[in-house]
Amino acid sequence: MTDTRVFHNFINGEWVEAKSNKTFENRNPADTREVLGVFQKSCEEDVKLAIGSAKEAYKKWRLVPAPKRAEIIFRVAEILAKKKENFARQMTAEMGKILKETRGDIQEAIDMSYYMAGEGRRQFGQTTPSELPDKFMMSVRQPLGVCAMITPWNFPMAIPSWKLMPALVCGNTVVFKPATDTPLSAVNLVRVCDEAGVPEGVINLVTGSGSGVGEPLMRSEDVKVVSFTGSTFVGRKVSQACAPDFRHVHLEMGGKNAIMVADDANLELAVEGALWGGFGTTGQRCTATSRVIVDKKVLKEFTQKFVNRAKALKIGNGLDPDVEMGPSINEAQLDTVMKYVKIGIEEGAELLCGGKRLTSGPYQFGFFHEPTIFGNVDPQMRIAQEEIFGPVVSVIPCDSLEQAIEICNGTIYGLSASIYTSSVKKAFTAMRDTYTGIFYVNAPTIGAEVHLPFGGTNQTGNGHREAGIAALDVFSEWKAIYIDFSEKLQKAQIDQILE
Ligand code: UN1
């Protein structure tokens, strides 16, 4: 253990040990013998210090002109671009997804930083004529104060950047609690922010568990917004913690996303899409394609092709350039995958391929599972209703587009959906009638870009969106301003001007 690197919290511009004097290890899910570092297992006292530092820094940061704040964010993007390859390799070692995807993760953080840097010179409000003479009206965005960010392990740099960059450009300060499985990528991101010139106290990083760090963070009255991405179970707890004093909550939670394959679809393309959507990131995206609803007229052909391709996927350590799918993130996640495979079999779904943990040879020290496809799945089965967050896809037969849409809409979630079709009518009908936050035509359910709103309906979210200009609505509040230069008391709605 002596040569294992020790990483620290970042509070008030300094890298410090946790007051708890406790640490935890960060291990490679592809080979758990590899320890990537030792991180601070922080406690409530650390959270309080971080919040205090963010509160103090807010006094000055909110008054820094937004275009100047944005210049720092622009530099974050530039530095990230330089360090992309190195960070990507560390991220693959830390959480298992293949190198192409971790490069994409960092690229998404770069994109978001450039995009939000542009908002430094926008953050547009409205001006509108007054009903009274010699009176001017406008609306402006104002920051809220200290924002808490509780982020997941599946996009260790992209998702924190979706929250950090809009929060910073709007003039807020931040306490950032990354997932326990990916603290290294969080440290890398915060170091870059520091190097880019984010002033001390504006970003504070506190690593540790949900109960040790997340709970006190979301309960603090000094935290004005909690932005959380993770499970619906934890999201509900965040919502409840903030409800009594109406502190703002932004939630991004589960999904049970479906690709619909119409009878006139390009099947090769649909198979490619289902493969990438279902098994990309080992199925560990909230936008992952976990259901494929296929018109019975093309079901046999689609399923055959899909299963053949899934069987041929190369599984292994994501640093190997030939590998197409990495491990699950940890033992608990792998257990969940195996539990659902069992449930699927018990429910009477047809196991078409996969279904087993991989334990031999190169797989013995990692959390690997075969890409798994169930056929003949009933839309009401648990495997077709509950989020699995692993490499398990359910193929659900249907008779018509109307039925496909009904099945697609028939879960508690509403993040992403897609249709493969060559018919404009079917594409537009599905686009209109699916109740999700994201929709794709002839593409899988994953692959959102940073400048459109990201989020979902129903129990996927609470009505907010991140990314795009929608993110500004989470991290700022409108102020309506009226300026009366008539030098007399004018009463809105009461003084009627006749000529
Ligand atoms: C997630 O699904 O957990 O849209 C985030 C995508 C990525 C982000 C996904 N840009 O697939």
Side-chain angles (χ1 to χ4, degrees):
M1 282 295 293
T2 44
D3 53 0
T4 305
R5 285 182 69 195
V6 179
F7 295 85
H8 296 100
N9 286 335
F10 190 65
I11 297 177
N12 205 20
E14 283 182 42
W15 294 96
V16 293
E17 283 178 10
K19 296 288 174 196
S20 62
N21 277 321
K22 289 186 185 152
T23 56
F24 66 97
E25 285 176 349
N26 182 12
R27 286 177 185 265
N28 183 340
D31 184 343
T32 54
R33 292 170 301 176
E34 186 187 345
V35 179
L36 296 154
V38 164
F39 291 81
Q40 303 302 309
K41 189 171 184 181
S42 313
C43 60
E44 184 161 3
E45 210 185 328
D46 302 301
V47 174
K48 281 196 175 138
L49 287 171
I51 293 171
S53 144
K55 211 174 157 184
E56 188 58 33
Y58 177 64
K59 291 178 191 163
K60 281 194 191 153
W61 181 245
R62 62 182 271 269
L63 299 176
V64 174
K68 293 288 158 205
R69 295 196 292 255
E71 281 172 23
I72 299 174
I73 296 171
F74 194 91
R75 278 202 294 280
V76 169
E78 291 180 312
I79 299 170
L80 280 175
K82 283 202 194 95
K83 302 194 169 180
K84 179 172 165 181
E85 188 60 24
N86 189 23
F87 284 175
R89 287 180 177 275
Q90 292 185 20
M91 192 187 286
T92 292
E94 175 169 55
M95 57 72 69
K97 66 184 174 186
I98 62 173
L99 201 49
K100 268 187 203 155
E101 291 192 38
T102 51
R103 287 186 190 126
D105 191 306
I106 291 144
Q107 187 57 46
E108 199 159 342
I110 296 168
D111 297 344
M112 183 55 90
S113 304
Y114 278 132
Y115 177 71
M116 281 300 161
E119 279 306 319
R121 287 184 190 270
R122 284 191 294 264
Q123 294 185 44
F124 297 130
Q126 301 104 35
T127 61
T128 183
S130 168
E131 66 191 40
L132 292 164
D134 295 337
K135 192 179 168 195
F136 181 83
M137 301 164 52
M138 64 181 165
S139 64
V140 298
R141 291 186 184 274
Q142 59 186 332
L144 290 94
V146 179
C147 304
M149 286 159 198
I150 304 178
T151 60
W153 45 262
N154 65 338
F155 278 81
M157 219 178 257
I159 292 181
S161 79
W162 296 358
K163 301 180 192 305
L164 271 171
M165 304 314 158
L168 293 182
V169 83
C170 288
N172 303 282
T173 56
V174 172
V175 179
F176 169 24
K177 183 244 175 276
T180 29
D181 286 298
T182 51
L184 178 57
S185 296
V187 165
N188 284 340
L189 181 59
V190 170
R191 277 186 180 153
V192 168
C193 293
D194 187 33
E195 191 184 332
V198 173
E200 63 188 35
V202 170
I203 296 178
N204 302 272
L205 172 75
V206 187
T207 58
S209 67
S211 55
V213 179
E215 287 264 354
L217 186 54
M218 68 195 184
R219 292 193 190 288
S220 168
E221 283 175 17
D222 287 326
V223 167
K224 300 286 189 170
V225 194
V226 182
S227 179
F228 167 81
T229 300
S231 70
T232 304
F233 177 78
V234 176
R236 185 169 288 117
K237 290 214 281 188
V238 175
S239 188
Q240 285 164 349
C242 297
D245 41 4
F246 310 105
R247 285 176 303 111
H248 296 193
V249 181
H250 159 252
L251 301 171
E252 202 53 67
M253 302 171 289
K256 197 68 196 172
N257 316 290
I259 287 180
M260 294 173 276
V261 182
D263 56 357
D264 56 5
N266 174 338
L267 287 189
E268 301 292 338
L269 197 64
V271 167
E272 286 290 324
L275 207 67
W276 173 229
F279 303 117
T281 327
T282 320
Q284 301 174 121
R285 293 195 193 205
C286 21
T287 47
T289 306
S290 55
R291 300 181 296 159
V292 188
I293 306 163
V294 188
D295 192 294
K296 281 179 184 160
K297 291 194 249 348
V298 293
L299 180 66
K300 202 167 157 214
E301 193 184 341
F302 172 86
T303 308
Q304 245 165 25
K305 289 189 157 106
F306 185 33
V307 169
N308 286 342
R309 290 292 306 276
K311 278 183 179 163
L313 282 176
K314 189 163 162 33
I315 320 301
N317 188 320
L319 289 176
D320 174 344
D322 294 332
V323 162
E324 295 167 289
M325 194 182 98
S328 292
I329 183 73
N330 54 33
E331 189 89 50
Q333 199 62 50
L334 183 63
D335 284 347
T336 304
V337 170
M338 293 193 295
K339 181 185 90 180
Y340 275 103
V341 169
K342 201 162 160 261
I343 290 171
I345 293 167
E346 283 165 7
E347 284 178 312
E350 205 180 319
L351 183 63
L352 299 176
C353 68
K356 284 196 295 294
R357 178 178 184 169
L358 295 162
T359 50
S360 63
Y363 303 122
Q364 57 181 319
F365 298 109
F367 305 117
F368 294 98
H369 194 278
E370 293 174 322
T372 300
I373 301 175
F374 278 106
N376 215 3
V377 175
D378 182 277
Q380 294 313 316
M381 287 179 180
R382 286 183 65 191
I383 54 166
Q385 287 288 323
E386 298 172 19
E387 187 176 49
I388 301 174
F389 229 63
V392 183
V393 178
S394 291
V395 176
I396 306 172
C398 73
D399 290 305
S400 63
L401 178 64
E402 288 62 39
Q403 198 191 7
I405 293 170
E406 200 185 313
I407 295 169
C408 180
N409 285 338
T411 75
I412 60 165
Y413 299 113
L415 182 52
S416 182
S418 102
I419 187 166
Y420 280 83
T421 179
S422 50
S423 147
V424 172
K425 181 177 166 63
K426 284 183 182 164
F428 272 86
T429 304
M431 201 187 305
R432 182 191 61 199
D433 294 344
T434 45
Y435 183 50
T436 57
I438 305 172
F439 190 80
Y440 295 89
V441 178
N442 292 333
T445 57
I446 65 175
E449 300 180 31
V450 301
H451 42 311
L452 279 184
F454 183 99
T457 62
N458 297 324
Q459 293 191 33
T460 292
N462 62 339
H464 294 288
R465 293 291 184 268
E466 51 197 341
I469 41 171
L472 301 181
D473 294 331
V474 173
F475 296 108
S476 65
E477 283 201 273
W478 287 112
K479 182 180 275 171
I481 299 175
Y482 301 90
I483 302 141
D484 192 322
F485 56 99
S486 69
E487 296 189 323
K488 58 181 187 250
L489 175 66
Q490 301 195 90
K491 299 182 189 122
Q493 294 91 35
I494 292 169
D495 290 345
Q496 298 297 313
I497 311 296
L498 298 176
E499 52 189 310

